[in-house]
Amino acid sequence: MIAYFVVLGITNGDWLARIPALAHGLHLSDGMLGLALLAGPAGSFAVASIAGAFIDRTGSRTPTMAGGAAVALLPVSFGVASSQPALMAGMLAFGIAVGVLDVSMNAQAVQVEQARGRPLMTSFHACYSFGALAGGLIGGAFAWAGVRPAIDFAAVAVPLAVLAILARAWLMPNPESGPLAAAGRPQQAPVTVTTPGSAGGVTSEPAGSDGPDGPEAGSAARPLRRVSPLLVLSLLAFCSLLGEGAADGWSAVYLRDNVGTSAGFAALGFAAFALTMASGRLAGDRLAARFGSMAILRAGGLMAAAGMAVVLITASPPGAVAGFAIYGAGLSCTFPQLITLAGQARPGRPAGAIGIVMGVGYMGLLCGPVLIGGLASAAGLATALILPVALALVIALGAIWAAPRASR
């Protein structure tokens, strides 16, 4: 299971590190390059919900393996592309493969969580984050050695594709072929309401009951149950991925142009963000088991908002880098927790729910560069980066609607 998160991380980190070489080789302007890069998230957005429904019917083992192999191999098409349309076609195919892999491997991760009976999702996503860091170092090493992108991508693709094919043997069995087969399709577990426990943990009550505090507490909670959990989770996923994209694309630009650092120092902003994103996910499962998903979303949103506020307020380069580090730590566990909650919302059909939430999240990746860039052109980048602060606060405030229900 871990192998597929690592495959996606290394592949993404490697080709993203070679974007300058791709742009130079095809003589692309910034605008033409930006248009080409949008093709990937567009493909992922288009296929996510369809893939979820398909995986719920057929199982996630084969789509995970096929998606992993395709994700590993398709960047080779970037390196051999001879024009912008060819590059966009490769990006679109890659985005579709990423969408299939993302939904199927996260559906597998939900199965593993249910089988083990404890939170594991953020640890899986930590493997992706560290894989992306490793992929960035690999791509940087190839670039430093003057190796052409096509050779770089092929050298990385072959072992990762073999790993994706071989790792299928260790995936969880499809429900129809596992222990649940004798009883038919898996039955939806009783829906419960998660409330704060006396020792910092959580207490689960049946969704149809009046709650731990009697009928009055049940009446107060009823309005929350009228809100579709998938609708709220999708909105928060949009906020989370748009916020991640803001740091991915604009941290170095902000440090260079607004804080006045050198190009070399400006790269530390994204490095700090990526490092705390990965490190925070290592601790996420323990925190989720101790405090619950609602507390993770609320604290993470507030921390991310505070971190970006530090970036915008301080005039010190080290202070801005520290702000991006805090921002990454705050966002680190939000998206994995949203995926876990999506799987719990429909325990019998987790892939469909995950596909819906991920599809809207990919829309955040699509809209993010346009929104931030448009605001930066109109009012300056510092003003534009107030948007991620607002979206982080939306995550914190939306936690009460995102995590009131969980499957027992």
Side-chain angles (χ1 to χ4, degrees):
M1 186 66 254
I2 290 173
Y4 294 96
F5 285 87
V6 172
V7 165
L8 181 57
I10 292 177
T11 303
N12 269 339
D14 182 36
W15 80 261
L16 286 170
R18 303 309 305 271
I19 286 177
L22 292 173
H24 178 75
L26 296 177
H27 308 290
L28 299 179
S29 65
D30 290 345
M32 294 169 66
L33 177 62
L35 181 62
L37 294 178
L38 283 178
S44 299
F45 167 70
V47 80
S49 59
I50 301 171
F54 175 78
I55 290 165
D56 274 334
R57 293 182 179 180
T58 64
S60 57
R61 294 188 74 190
T62 299
T64 300
M65 183 272 291
V71 161
L73 294 170
L74 279 169
V76 177
S77 67
F78 307 166
V80 299
S82 58
S83 64
Q84 185 197 25
L87 179 61
M88 290 185 69
M91 293 276 183
L92 180 65
F94 178 74
I96 291 172
V98 168
V100 171
L101 176 60
D102 237 348
V103 173
S104 57
M105 73 182 183
N106 277 285
Q108 275 278 317
V110 168
Q111 276 187 262
V112 174
E113 281 192 318
Q114 292 171 348
R116 295 293 181 90
R118 61 190 178 91
L120 293 168
M121 185 66 76
T122 52
S123 294
F124 288 131
H125 283 254
C127 295
Y128 166 81
S129 296
F130 282 108
L133 287 174
L137 293 174
I138 292 170
F142 276 114
W144 179 79
V147 177
R148 291 189 295 115
I151 298 174
D152 172 357
F153 298 155
V156 172
V158 173
L160 290 183
V162 171
L163 174 62
I165 293 169
L166 295 179
R168 184 184 186 278
W170 285 273
L171 292 176
M172 293 283 288
N174 297 330
E176 291 78 8
S177 61
L180 294 170
R185 291 192 62 82
Q187 300 297 313
Q188 181 163 327
V191 178
T192 61
V193 177
T194 305
T195 57
S198 58
V202 295
T203 303
S204 294
E205 297 290 335
S209 72
D210 290 327
D213 299 317
E216 292 182 4
S219 299
R222 245 173 239 127
L224 296 181
R225 296 181 193 136
R226 297 194 190 106
V227 180
S228 167
L230 285 185
L231 176 63
V232 178
L233 292 171
S234 298
L235 171 64
L236 300 189
F238 176 90
C239 296
S240 181
L241 290 190
L242 194 154
E244 288 187 31
D248 289 346
W250 298 99
S251 56
V253 176
Y254 180 84
L255 282 167
R256 184 190 63 202
D257 295 345
N258 292 69
V259 183
T261 69
S262 66
F265 190 92
L268 294 179
F270 175 71
F273 169 80
L275 183 61
T276 55
M277 278 280 290
S279 302
R281 287 173 171 175
L282 289 178
D285 290 326
R286 293 191 297 274
L287 294 173
R290 177 69 177 86
F291 300 106
S293 296
M294 186 187 299
I296 295 296
L297 292 173
R298 186 177 293 163
L302 292 174
M303 181 182 293
M308 187 57 76
V310 169
V311 170
L312 297 176
I313 291 171
T314 184
S316 161
V321 170
F324 279 116
I326 297 169
Y327 184 66
L331 286 183
S332 61
C333 298
T334 57
F335 190 67
Q337 288 303 308
L338 294 171
I339 297 302
T340 290
L341 290 169
Q344 291 176 351
R346 293 182 182 174
R349 296 173 290 132
I354 291 170
I356 292 170
V357 172
M358 281 194 158
V360 178
Y362 288 134
M363 194 186 302
L365 289 178
L366 278 170
C367 296
V370 178
L371 289 174
I372 299 290
L375 289 172
S377 297
L381 184 55
T383 302
L385 290 180
I386 295 175
L387 178 61
V389 177
L391 295 181
L393 292 175
V394 169
I395 294 173
L397 295 173
I400 191 171
W401 287 281
R405 307 172 184 176
S407 300
R408 191 178 293 279

